[in-house]
Amino acid sequence: MVVRYNNFIGGKWVNSVSGKNFENVNPATREVLHLFPRSEGKDVKGAVDAATEAFKSWRLVPAPKRAEILFQAAALLTERKEEFAKEMTLEMGKILKETMGDIQEAIDFTFYAAGEGRRMLGDTTPSELPNKFAMSVRMPIGVMAAITPWNFPMAIPSWKIIPALVAGNTIIFKPSQYTPKSAYNLVKVLEKAGLPPGVINLVFGAGSEVGDPILEDRRVAAITFTGSNPVGTSIAERAPKTNKRISLELGGKNAIIILEDADLDLAIDHIIWSAFGTSGQRCTAASRIIVQKPLLKDLTERIVERAKSLRLGNGLEPKTEMGPVINSEQLRKIHQYTGVGKGEGATLLCGGEIAKNGELAKGYFYKPTVFGDVKPNMRIAQEEIFGPTTAIIPVNSLEEAIEVNNSTEFGLSTGIFTEDVNNAFIAMRDIYTGIIYINAGTIGAEVHLPFGGTRGTGNGHRAAGQTLLDECTEWKSIFVDYSGKLQKAQAID
Ligand code: NAP
Ligand code: MG
């Protein structure tokens, strides 16, 4: 039986005002798993009403007490990790090991971020005047909206929601319509851990139907968004009209650079994992392999051999190495890019087809696809495909490799393989992305380091790491004058 779930508003699980639903579908089988409310403006209004009211008292709860609830949530997630991972694989397709990792990241991050309850450090500094004390403290912004994609259904929401909560904000959470059950599981855990009513509000629904009312409501003070560039850009254009702060984590076109002195065995393992893990649907996926010419032939042959041998299938099967892509729209888009690559004169070395043999025909599966003879300015080397497609780009030197790496509109993650420490340090200095891996692929973030990218990958924010409070707090400077007389700063008499 297909179960129907509700929104969570003001501490109650309630239907959408319209009563309309949408289906949560398994991309490996196209089976309908659950129904969720298709919310609209009235639902958002109810959520913002609740979050606005709850903010009045939540901001006054001592931060270590707020953190205790979040530590409890992390413990509950740990208990239910496997169950939640299975449900995540069912609704978005990535293999069970990866969905277990997704939830582990949420657990690690929640423990890490909740620790801010006993830090949230401010500054004290001398005043220029006698008998005057000066300090700056972080304060919550107010009601925040978290709008999230489907590819990390629990990790990314946790990166946005947990720091905001420990800092004293209240939340409207709009998850992707492709992963509602994982969002439900996370919010259910936060409820069980003891968050007061209205502190987190979950509004299910489709992009603009929920997104537009969030953008239009002046009471929503900030939006933390992770997703595609077109949607992020549209939020960036509209948010200032209602004075919202925004932080944007957007797309990627990440590269792995292979220099001629690289350990090729190691590099191949990393390339396969970075290009085809999560079916290439990671913001950090390696969709470009930039290789110095002496290694080109050997590397190409080995990538193609490994890509062809990857086992596609249902992510719940232990043997499966690569699951489906998220939906029919994405399958079509990935296949269109295969046509674009061929049309531009790149050589299709393997894949390039929708996988239709046996059980695969039931779902949205695409064969791991590798292009050779790719020029840096081709569309397949510039645009985010977000699927299991990677492009091999030959270069002559480290300098050229770095230039090619830096030549896209995105700047999230780069991996470089070299045994030469001098080359490694030049790469660390000159590669202009937010994340660099030396002798590792483009994926594998750790929660206690800042995460984000340069240029079109965002608007300068970094999630997680020591920067985790920046998007959800603002600074208040406080002066205490205990001189008992009128003192004027800047020596004005
Ligand atoms: P998306 O289509 O941009 O959607 C992201 C979220 O925005 C979803 O919840 C979506 O809702 C919502 N949305 C859509 N239209 C909206 C509107 N007009 N107003 C407000 N919200 C709206 O992205 P996606 O397909 O879910 O995720 C893939 C993208 O995310 C890729 O570009 C990837 O690189 C990026 N990503 C970036 C990072 C990073 O940290 N830099 C991490 C992961 C993913 P619905 O989809 O439910 O309609
Ligand atoms: Mg989308």
Side-chain angles (χ1 to χ4, degrees):
M1 200 190 72
V2 175
V3 177
R4 201 189 156 285
Y5 291 88
N6 280 331
N7 288 331
F8 187 58
I9 295 177
K12 295 200 173 67
W13 293 94
V14 291
N15 199 350
S16 62
V17 174
S18 74
K20 286 192 247 168
N21 298 316
F22 67 90
E23 293 175 343
N24 186 21
V25 174
N26 181 343
T29 60
R30 302 189 202 201
E31 275 164 333
V32 176
L33 299 166
H34 322 100
L35 294 176
F36 282 86
R38 184 164 166 182
S39 313
E40 297 167 3
K42 284 183 183 152
D43 307 295
V44 172
K45 182 178 176 304
V48 182
D49 289 348
T52 306
E53 188 56 33
F55 179 64
K56 293 178 191 162
S57 47
W58 180 243
R59 73 181 185 87
L60 298 176
V61 174
K65 294 284 171 209
R66 295 195 293 252
E68 276 172 23
I69 298 172
L70 303 173
F71 283 125
Q72 179 61 23
L76 291 170
L77 282 177
T78 309
E79 277 172 25
R80 302 185 66 181
K81 178 174 161 184
E82 191 163 347
E83 172 198 348
F84 288 169
K86 283 183 179 154
E87 292 195 314
M88 191 185 288
T89 294
L90 279 172
E91 70 176 352
M92 58 75 69
K94 66 185 174 185
I95 62 174
L96 193 57
K97 273 187 197 155
E98 292 186 38
T99 50
M100 293 279 278
D102 191 306
I103 292 161
Q104 188 57 48
E105 192 171 319
I107 295 166
D108 294 343
F109 185 70
T110 301
F111 279 122
Y112 173 68
E116 283 298 329
R118 288 188 186 271
R119 280 189 301 269
M120 222 168 290
L121 304 176
D123 297 307
T124 62
T125 181
S127 164
E128 66 186 50
L129 294 166
N131 300 323
K132 195 176 171 189
F133 182 85
M135 62 183 159
S136 51
V137 298
R138 287 186 186 268
M139 58 176 174
I141 300 175
V143 177
M144 287 185 68
I147 303 180
T148 56
W150 49 265
N151 65 336
F152 281 88
M154 208 175 265
I156 289 178
S158 77
W159 284 35
K160 299 184 167 308
I161 290 168
I162 306 299
L165 291 178
V166 78
N169 301 279
T170 55
I171 300 284
I172 315 295
F173 175 23
K174 188 279 185 235
S176 163
Q177 64 186 298
Y178 299 103
T179 48
K181 188 58 174 45
S182 296
Y184 171 88
N185 289 341
L186 179 61
V187 171
K188 200 75 190 163
V189 155
L190 287 165
E191 179 195 21
K192 194 149 182 241
L195 269 192
V199 171
I200 186 155
N201 302 277
L202 174 60
V203 184
F204 294 107
S208 56
E209 289 174 8
V210 178
D212 288 352
I214 289 176
L215 270 149
E216 282 153 20
D217 197 318
R218 288 197 167 268
R219 297 170 300 167
V220 178
I223 297 181
T224 166
F225 173 85
T226 297
S228 64
N229 281 58
V231 177
T233 306
S234 133
I235 289 175
E237 282 164 4
R238 292 181 293 160
K241 292 184 187 141
T242 49
N243 295 331
K244 291 186 196 347
R245 290 165 145 250
I246 47 166
S247 54
L248 306 173
E249 300 282 346
L250 308 177
K253 190 72 193 174
N254 315 288
I256 298 181
I257 298 172
I258 313 291
L259 297 185
E260 60 189 353
D261 65 341
D263 174 341
L264 208 49
D265 292 333
L266 177 69
I268 299 284
D269 284 343
H270 279 274
I271 289 169
I272 297 298
W273 172 225
S274 297
F276 304 118
T278 322
S279 309
Q281 304 169 112
R282 288 185 180 219
C283 52
T284 51
S287 54
R288 297 183 298 158
I289 312 299
I290 302 171
V291 55
Q292 227 176 336
K293 281 178 186 160
L295 287 187
L296 179 63
K297 189 165 171 290
D298 202 6
L299 180 99
T300 303
E301 279 168 14
R302 293 174 67 178
I303 293 176
V304 170
E305 187 194 323
R306 288 279 297 274
K308 278 183 178 167
S309 73
L310 284 172
R311 277 189 302 270
L312 273 61
N314 191 318
L316 290 178
E317 298 288 335
K319 278 193 191 149
T320 300
E321 292 173 302
M322 196 178 101
V325 302
I326 189 70
N327 55 32
S328 59
E329 194 189 322
Q330 198 53 29
L331 190 67
R332 206 175 315 122
K333 180 180 159 193
I334 294 163
H335 192 51
Q336 269 170 7
Y337 270 104
T338 296
V340 168
K342 286 199 241 173
E344 288 176 309
T347 308
L348 179 63
L349 298 170
C350 67
E353 287 174 341
I354 294 171
K356 288 187 177 150
N357 38 330
E359 292 289 295
L360 300 183
K362 291 188 186 159
Y364 306 119
F365 290 92
Y366 203 75
K367 291 190 181 170
T369 299
V370 180
F371 274 104
D373 302 318
V374 179
K375 305 254 173 346
N377 59 354
M378 288 181 178
R379 283 181 61 199
I380 55 164
Q382 289 286 330
E383 297 173 17
E384 186 181 49
I385 300 172
F386 222 57
T389 301
T390 200
I392 301 178
I393 306 172
V395 292
N396 291 305
S397 63
L398 169 66
E399 289 66 32
E400 188 184 349
I402 292 174
E403 197 185 314
V404 169
N405 176 75
N406 291 348
S407 73
T408 75
E409 71 167 295
F410 304 105
L412 186 51
S413 177
T414 304
I416 178 164
F417 286 80
T418 177
E419 303 281 282
D420 180 325
V421 69
N422 297 349
N423 284 341
F425 270 86
I426 291 169
M428 284 188 257
R429 185 192 63 196
D430 292 344
I431 285 174
Y432 195 62
T433 52
I435 305 166
I436 298 180
Y437 295 93
I438 309 295
N439 290 325
T442 48
I443 63 184
E446 297 185 32
V447 300
H448 54 299
L449 279 84
F451 183 93
T454 60
R455 297 193 296 268
T457 292
N459 64 340
H461 282 268
R462 294 290 183 271
Q466 70 274 28
T467 48
L468 85 175
L469 292 173
D470 292 349
E471 67 171 16
C472 57
T473 58
E474 43 197 349
W475 286 101
K476 186 186 307 201
S477 297
I478 302 174
F479 301 94
V480 183
D481 188 327
Y482 55 97
S483 68
K485 58 184 184 192
L486 174 62
Q487 302 198 86
K488 296 176 182 167
Q490 290 85 39
I492 299 167
D493 290 325

